[in-house]
Amino acid sequence: MKKYIKLFISFILTFSIVFYSVGETHASTNARTLAELRSELSSLKSKKASNDNAKKKTQAQIDSSTSSIKSAQQEIRTNQAKVEKAKEDIKELNVEIDDTKEKIKKILKAQQLSDGDNVYLEYVFKATSYEELVYRYAVVEQILDYNDTQIDNFNGLIEKNEQLQVDLAAREIELNTQIDKLSDKIESLGNDLVKYSDITMDIQDEIDSTQELINYYVKLGCGENQDLNECAKVKGDTSFTKPLIKGTITSYFGYRVDPLTGKSNKFHSGTDIGGNPEGTNVYASANGMVGKIIRKASCGGNQVYVYH
C-alpha cells in the first residue's frame, strides 16, 4: 500500500497568547491486508496495556517514596522534640545534683571530712555511750551513701541523655540523606511517568487511527486477506501543494527539542504551520480519497487522512 499522509487541522487558541498549529503525522502502517491491520491493532493494544502497567507501577513507586519521605520527616520532628526534652532533663538533673550536694553539706557537713575538719567527728563522738556512737556513725554513713547513690544515678541519667542527643543527631543526618535520595528517585520516576503518559497518548492515537482505517476498509468491502492496494485503488497525483494559502512553519518534520517537556531528540512526525486564525480553510495537499477522519485527537487535534 502506498504511503498515506495525515493532514493536520488543529488550531489552538490561548487567552493571552494565540498559537496556531496544524497537527502531527503518524507513520503509515505496513499492513497489506485487513487481517494484518487487525494484528497490528492487537499488538498496539498489548503495547498500551504494558505501558499502562509500567505507568501504574511507577506511580506506585512515587507514592511509596513520598510516603517514606513523610515518615522520615515525621521521625526527624519527633527526634528533635526528644532532643529538647533531653536538654531540659539534663538541666533538671543538674539542679537535683546541686540540691543533693547542698543537703549533704547541711547534714553534718559531710564533705568537710576530706579536709580533716572535726565537725563530722564531733557529731559522731558526742555520743554518750558506745551504742550511741555506733548508731550515730551508722546514721551518717547511710545518709551519705544514699545521697552519693542519688548523685551517681543523676550523673548516669545525664550521660544517657547526652548520648541520646548524639544518637538522635546522627539519626537526623541519616534521615536527611535518605530524604535526599528519595527526592532524587521521585524526580527520576516523575520523568518516567511523563514518558509513559506521552507514550500512552501516542499509542492511543495509533489505536484510534488503526481502528478508523480498519472501519474504512470494511466499508469499502475489502476481504480479510485481500490486498488493500487493490481494494482501495485511487487516482493519485503527481505533486503536492501547500495546505494553507499563507502561514509560518513553526516546527519542521524530524527530531527536535520537545517544546512542552524540553527533552531533546524527540521525533516530530509532521510539519507545524502557524500564523492563521481559527477557522482558516485547510486544503488537501493533493488529489486523493479521504481514508479516515479523527476528531479532537490528544496530539494533533482534528485530523484527515487522504490517500494520494
Side-chain angles (χ1 to χ4, degrees):
M1 186 182 73
K2 296 180 181 178
K3 192 173 183 179
Y4 64 89
I5 300 175
K6 182 193 299 180
L7 294 178
F8 311 96
I9 312 172
S10 174
F11 300 99
I12 304 170
L13 290 173
T14 61
F15 293 103
S16 57
I17 300 176
V18 183
F19 176 79
Y20 308 100
S21 171
V22 179
E24 297 184 347
T25 304
H26 291 291
S28 62
T29 177
N30 293 318
R32 298 182 61 83
T33 66
L34 261 176
E36 290 178 3
L37 265 178
R38 295 187 195 280
S39 178
E40 282 189 1
L41 179 62
S42 177
S43 177
L44 284 169
K45 288 181 177 179
S46 296
K47 184 177 179 182
K48 181 177 181 296
S50 176
N51 186 76
D52 287 344
N53 186 51
K55 179 181 176 182
K56 184 177 180 181
K57 288 182 178 179
T58 300
Q59 184 61 60
Q61 287 181 293
I62 290 176
D63 294 341
S64 176
S65 297
T66 301
S67 178
S68 295
I69 286 178
K70 289 181 179 178
S71 296
Q73 290 172 335
Q74 181 58 48
E75 185 177 343
I76 287 175
R77 289 191 290 269
T78 300
N79 289 345
Q80 287 174 342
K82 289 180 179 179
V83 168
E84 293 303 315
K85 179 66 166 56
K87 290 179 179 179
E88 290 299 320
D89 288 345
I90 289 174
K91 289 181 180 179
E92 292 178 4
L93 288 169
N94 281 323
V95 171
E96 290 281 354
I97 289 173
D98 291 339
D99 289 345
T100 301
K101 287 181 177 179
E102 187 63 28
K103 288 177 182 177
I104 295 173
K105 185 177 180 180
K106 290 180 178 179
I107 299 174
L108 307 180
K109 299 183 179 179
Q111 75 277 13
Q112 296 179 9
L113 181 61
S114 60
D115 298 327
D117 195 278
N118 63 356
V119 174
Y120 173 70
L121 294 177
E122 285 180 0
Y123 170 77
V124 173
F125 288 109
K126 279 185 178 180
T128 58
S129 66
Y130 177 76
E131 288 79 6
E132 186 181 357
L133 175 67
V134 173
Y135 170 76
R136 289 194 175 203
Y137 177 81
V139 169
V140 171
E141 187 175 42
Q142 288 177 9
I143 292 173
L144 295 178
D145 287 346
Y146 172 78
N147 287 291
D148 286 343
T149 300
Q150 286 292 93
I151 291 175
D152 290 341
N153 290 337
F154 293 150
N155 284 325
L157 289 173
I158 288 174
E159 291 178 5
K160 181 179 179 180
N161 284 338
E162 288 175 344
Q163 185 60 48
L164 176 63
Q165 293 180 66
V166 172
D167 294 342
L168 291 177
R171 177 60 177 164
E172 183 170 342
I173 293 174
E174 179 183 339
L175 288 170
N176 280 321
T177 300
Q178 179 181 336
I179 289 172
D180 290 340
K181 289 181 179 180
L182 287 170
S183 297
D184 291 340
K185 182 179 180 181
I186 289 175
E187 182 178 358
S188 176
L189 289 170
N191 292 333
D192 291 341
L193 192 63
V194 171
K195 179 184 69 176
Y196 290 134
S197 298
D198 290 343
I199 291 174
T200 294
M201 288 192 295
D202 290 343
I203 295 176
Q204 186 60 56
D205 284 347
E206 289 285 353
I207 290 173
D208 295 340
S209 173
T210 303
Q211 185 62 63
E212 287 281 347
L213 192 57
I214 289 173
N215 295 340
Y216 163 72
Y217 284 124
V218 169
K219 289 179 181 178
L220 286 181
C222 299
E224 284 296 310
N225 296 301
Q226 183 181 2
D227 190 307
L228 296 178
N229 285 325
E230 295 298 323
C231 179
K233 281 186 177 179
V234 61
K235 183 179 179 179
D237 211 331
T238 58
S239 63
F240 291 108
T241 58
K242 295 179 180 180
L244 291 163
I245 295 176
K246 64 178 182 178
T248 301
I249 294 178
T250 58
S251 186
Y252 289 93
F253 175 90
Y255 288 95
R256 65 173 185 177
V257 175
D258 192 304
L260 298 178
T261 65
K263 294 182 179 179
S264 59
N265 295 325
K266 176 75 172 179
F267 187 75
H268 181 232
S269 55
T271 298
D272 292 350
I273 303 175
N276 292 283
E278 183 176 11
T280 299
N281 290 332
V282 179
Y283 303 97
S285 57
N287 290 325
M289 180 171 62
V290 174
K292 59 182 175 179
I293 296 173
I294 298 179
R295 295 178 174 83
K296 297 181 180 180
S298 61
C299 183
N302 297 324
Q303 304 166 10
V304 177
Y305 284 72
V306 178
Y307 294 95
H308 302 295

